[in-house]
Amino acid sequence: MAKEQQNAAPDAVAPGKPGAAAKRKKEFKKKRERRVVPHGVVHVAASFNNTQTTITDTDGRTLCWSSAGAIGFKGSRKGTPYAAQQASLNAAGNARDQYSMKSVEVRVQGPGSGRESAVRALAAAGLHIVVIRDVTPIPHNGCRPPKRRRV
């Protein structure tokens, strides 16, 4: 039985010796081209509980984003102007460094306290602000409001 196994695979390579399969060339991945986006759109969504900053190109494709919760603030501190400022600084720094962004159009949405401080932080990060636009949705007598709360 042992002689049959030896005869069955005479061309098997010993474990210590390199075979033909081990002498392959290393495959290198192509280096990704750095995308340069000189002008973008910053969407600031400021709610009472959090502030999210998303930076897109002019077509709406997201380049980078940040929020007060993603920075590390928890609970009611996420809704503060300081947390919104830190989130905007983080997102603007990424856009400036990775995509060489120079100028932005800002669209602010929501009633939160971090609206103004987020826009100021974008300017402090070195981005030239072209337009600040409020895009908060306003109902024109849309849905019926819930009934009054009795306490």
Side-chain angles (χ1 to χ4, degrees):
M1 178 89 183
K3 288 183 181 179
E4 288 176 21
Q5 285 179 348
Q6 285 177 353
N7 293 340
D11 54 319
V13 180
K17 296 179 183 176
K23 291 189 177 181
R24 269 193 208 137
K25 287 187 178 181
K26 288 185 180 179
E27 294 177 15
F28 293 103
K29 290 183 180 177
K30 287 186 179 179
K31 199 171 184 182
R32 232 177 102 216
E33 245 182 71
R34 219 178 89 178
R35 215 169 129 209
V36 177
V37 183
H39 182 74
V41 181
V42 178
H43 301 270
V44 177
S47 70
F48 292 119
N49 298 321
N50 202 351
T51 303
Q52 298 150 349
T53 305
T54 306
I55 301 180
T56 65
D57 57 9
T58 50
D59 295 332
R61 290 185 290 252
T62 301
L63 302 176
C64 54
W65 65 274
S66 185
S67 70
I71 297 284
F73 291 94
K74 289 185 178 178
S76 61
R77 286 182 295 179
K78 288 192 297 184
T80 62
Y82 179 71
Q85 176 185 349
Q86 294 300 313
S88 284
L89 277 172
N90 187 8
N94 286 344
R96 191 187 61 231
D97 297 340
Q98 290 180 4
Y99 298 99
S100 304
M101 193 168 284
K102 301 275 188 281
S103 63
V104 290
E105 174 185 326
V106 182
R107 295 182 185 171
V108 186
Q109 178 178 1
S113 61
R115 292 165 55 104
E116 283 80 24
S117 59
V119 175
R120 283 199 188 108
L122 292 170
L127 295 178
H128 178 254
I129 296 174
V130 179
V131 172
I132 300 172
R133 189 172 288 143
D134 188 359
V135 291
T136 306
I138 300 167
H140 297 281
N141 281 351
C143 299
R144 178 176 173 167
K147 64 181 181 180
R148 281 273 180 210
R149 205 172 145 230
R150 292 190 290 251
V151 180

